[in-house]
Amino acid sequence: DSREGDVPPELRHRSFDAQPVVKRMAIVFAGPLVNLVLAAFIYAGLSMYGVAEWRPVIGEPVAGSRAAESGLVAGSTVLAVNDDPVSTWSELQLKVLDQALAKADAVTLTLSNPVGERQSRTLELGSEVRGLSDADVLAQLGLRLFRPPIAPVIGTLQPGKPAANAGLQAGDRIEMVGGKPVQDWAAFVELVRQSNDEFVNLPLLREATLLTVSLRPEQIEDGGKKIARIGVGPLLTGEPDTRFQITVRHDPVSALGEGIARTASGALLS
C-alpha cells in the first residue's frame, strides 16, 4: 500500500491501493471469510469427535423471574422449544436466543417433569432479552442449569490462602460452617461467603476423625460486591454423571451443518 510507505515503481502495480475496487473488496473480505470457514471446520471436528454437554435439565428458577412465573419446576427436562427437539443445554440456549432475535413474544417449552410427566409451558420473552448472548438470554429469563450436588469434600487448596494457612487438607469433609450444617459444596461456598470478615469454625472429618479448624476468609471484589473465600476447590471424580450429561457426536455431514450453525450464531452476536 503506497499510502503506508514508499513502493518501488516496478512494484507499484501490485500495491493494494492500485487494485480495482472489486479486487480490494475481495482482499478485505478474504481474511474474515477464512476465519469463519476455519471456525466452522473446528466446530465440525469437535462435533465428530464428541463433546460432553449438559442435558437441558432446569435448576431452581430465579424467584420473580419469567421462568418462575411460567411455572417451570427444578428438575424438569426440556424436550423441545416450539416443537423443535433439544437434547442439550446449549441447544436450548441457541433455540431460545433465535426466537428472541426473531422478536417472538414467547416460546413454548415441552418438558418432562421430575416424575416423568410430559408438560407444556409458555415462557414469555419480553423485549429486554433481545440483543443478549445465548448464555445471557436464559439468565435474563431466570432459567438456570441444574447441577448435581457435589459433596463438601476438599480436593484442591490454593497456596497462601486462608484454608491452606489454617491447615486444611485435601480429603477433608466439611460438616459445618459457623454452626450451620453443610449439605453440599454449593451450601458450603454460600455459608463462607456470608461469613464476611469474621473468623469461622469449620468442623470437619479427616479420615474418620472429627476436627475443628478456625480461619478468617479473605475478602475479594466480585461484580462490585465484597465476598469472602478461603481458597479451596471441591474433590471431583472426573466421571460424568450420565443422568445430567451426554456425549454428543455427529456424522460428518451433520457435524459440518452443526459447525456452520454455531459459527453463524457466533458471528451474528459479535
Side-chain angles (χ1 to χ4, degrees):
D1 194 325
S2 61
R3 294 168 298 181
E4 300 294 328
D6 293 333
V7 178
E10 65 272 16
L11 298 178
R12 179 71 180 85
H13 67 284
R14 297 178 61 182
S15 64
F16 177 77
D17 55 316
Q19 306 306 312
V21 173
V22 174
K23 192 171 183 178
R24 278 183 280 170
M25 291 177 61
I27 294 171
V28 170
F29 284 108
L33 180 61
V34 169
N35 289 335
L36 291 174
V37 172
L38 179 60
F41 276 101
I42 290 174
Y43 278 128
L46 290 173
S47 296
M48 291 174 60
Y49 177 76
V51 179
E53 296 199 38
W54 291 102
R55 296 182 187 273
V57 182
I58 297 172
E60 188 67 35
V62 177
S65 66
R66 293 181 183 272
E69 293 171 355
S70 67
L72 296 176
V73 178
S76 297
T77 301
V78 180
L79 304 177
V81 176
N82 290 348
D83 295 325
D84 194 3
V86 296
S87 58
T88 67
W89 186 259
S90 61
E91 285 183 351
L92 172 62
Q93 291 175 324
L94 289 172
K95 291 187 187 302
V96 173
L97 177 63
D98 286 344
Q99 293 301 310
L101 293 176
K103 299 184 178 181
D105 294 325
V107 294
T108 300
L109 302 180
T110 304
L111 310 113
S112 175
N113 69 13
V115 296
E117 297 173 339
R118 195 179 181 93
Q119 298 178 333
S120 180
R121 293 287 184 270
T122 298
L123 179 61
E124 301 289 336
L125 298 181
S127 59
E128 66 271 17
V129 302
R130 293 162 192 163
L132 298 174
S133 70
D134 53 350
D136 291 338
V137 69
L138 294 190
Q140 185 73 26
L141 294 170
L143 273 173
R144 294 190 286 203
L145 172 66
F146 178 84
R147 297 185 182 276
I150 299 174
V153 179
I154 295 175
T156 59
L157 295 100
Q158 298 178 26
K161 298 298 183 180
N165 294 340
L168 289 176
Q169 299 177 10
D172 288 346
R173 184 183 182 93
I174 308 300
E175 297 292 312
M176 305 180 79
V177 175
K180 297 180 180 179
V182 172
Q183 302 298 327
D184 54 34
W185 188 264
F188 168 53
V189 171
E190 186 60 31
L191 289 172
V192 169
R193 288 187 173 187
Q194 293 173 5
S195 64
N196 297 319
D197 195 24
E198 303 172 354
F199 277 91
V200 292
N201 292 324
L202 301 179
L204 57 89
L205 278 176
R206 180 181 296 167
E207 297 181 353
T209 301
L210 184 61
L211 306 172
T212 298
V213 173
S214 181
L215 54 76
R216 185 177 186 176
E218 66 175 3
Q219 302 291 310
I220 64 167
E221 290 283 341
D222 184 24
K225 298 180 180 180
K226 283 190 175 183
I227 62 171
R229 69 177 186 180
I230 62 175
V232 293
L235 178 65
L236 302 175
T237 64
E239 294 294 327
D241 189 332
T242 55
R243 295 174 301 167
F244 305 107
Q245 285 185 284
I246 182 174
T247 299
V248 180
R249 291 187 179 89
H250 295 272
D251 60 74
V253 175
S254 60
L256 183 57
E258 180 73 10
I260 293 172
R262 285 179 175 268
T263 302
S265 176
L268 288 173
L269 294 171
S270 60

